[in-house]
Amino acid sequence: VLPAREEAQKPTASPVVKAAIGAAAFNPQAAAAATDDLYAIKWKAEDANKDTLVYEVYYRPLGTTRWIRIAKDLKEQVKIWDTRTVKDGKYQVRVVAKDSPSNPPGTDLSAARISDPVTVDNTPPAIKVVRVETKGKAVTLHAEISDALTPISEVAYVLDSDEDWTSLAADDDVLDSMTEAVSFTIND
């Protein structure tokens, strides 16, 4: 289970994944904002006697027992999961493979695998302006960015709705914590 935009950038990405994130006009910056809530669930399965397999995909919040089905009768070994339908938190994904298309009812076999926990974090980080300094036409902003579930790994700003985003470094030079301090100056 991995973010769909990461999977779509691979040369071996499934057409299903590329279609889910708009691969026809793939623009990594535009797609990133729109597809952070899409995850590609991929698996490999084969039947020893070459029976046709179909798949079901489920998820559950970590620590619970009830599985919620998100797909059934899949023929391809990939499913795009739109996590906007679930609360922020940690989840497990289960894929069940069945050889029912090749066998009479009651004689079909199935097997399942459960993923490692996956963190769903659709809530954007909180941004708090700590201090603003002005010097002539220059404005320096000091801000604190914090997220409840995942470390801050990227910070950028845009000015006047421009298409070009400016990346920022953390004040401690490493974006790797749940709370990061950043400072930047705008000359205008």
Side-chain angles (χ1 to χ4, degrees):
V1 180
L2 70 157
R5 65 182 160 91
E6 285 179 29
E7 177 62 23
Q9 292 173 345
K10 295 180 180 178
T12 58
S14 160
V16 171
V17 175
K18 289 182 179 182
I21 59 142
F26 185 69
N27 173 334
Q29 286 182 329
T35 62
D36 283 345
D37 45 18
L38 299 179
Y39 281 80
I41 302 167
K42 292 175 41 175
W43 59 93
K44 288 186 180 184
E46 57 185 54
D47 187 276
N49 56 351
K50 306 298 182 207
D51 286 346
T52 300
L53 297 175
V54 293
Y55 309 96
E56 293 182 349
V57 180
Y58 300 82
Y59 74 89
R60 71 177 176 193
L62 192 60
T64 64
T65 57
R66 183 174 163 259
W67 290 100
I68 301 163
R69 185 172 61 201
I70 56 175
K72 72 176 190 174
D73 297 329
L74 291 174
K75 293 180 173 94
E76 193 166 340
Q77 296 178 357
V78 64
K79 169 66 180 154
I80 300 299
W81 180 26
D82 184 348
T83 64
R84 290 177 294 186
T85 62
V86 299
K87 294 180 183 179
D88 289 357
K90 293 194 180 286
Y91 291 84
Q92 289 178 301
V93 174
R94 180 177 73 167
V95 176
V96 178
K98 298 180 179 184
D99 66 359
S100 53
S102 299
N103 294 288
T107 64
D108 55 332
L109 300 174
S110 67
R113 294 289 302 259
I114 298 173
S115 74
D116 290 334
V118 176
T119 300
V120 172
D121 186 2
N122 293 325
T123 303
I127 301 169
K128 177 182 171 188
V129 175
V130 176
R131 190 171 75 250
V132 178
E133 300 168 355
T134 57
K135 191 172 190 180
K137 291 187 175 188
V139 176
T140 300
L141 288 142
H142 301 274
E144 183 178 275
I145 295 102
S146 57
D147 193 281
L149 289 177
T150 51
I152 305 297
S153 61
E154 182 179 13
V155 179
Y157 73 93
V158 66
L159 202 55
D160 296 330
S161 300
D162 189 13
E163 289 183 20
D164 296 325
W165 285 77
T166 303
S167 294
L168 298 174
D171 286 354
D172 67 0
D173 292 326
V174 182
L175 292 169
D176 62 353
S177 302
M178 305 288 252
T179 299
E180 292 287 353
V182 297
S183 301
F184 61 100
T185 301
I186 301 169
N187 294 303
D188 195 27

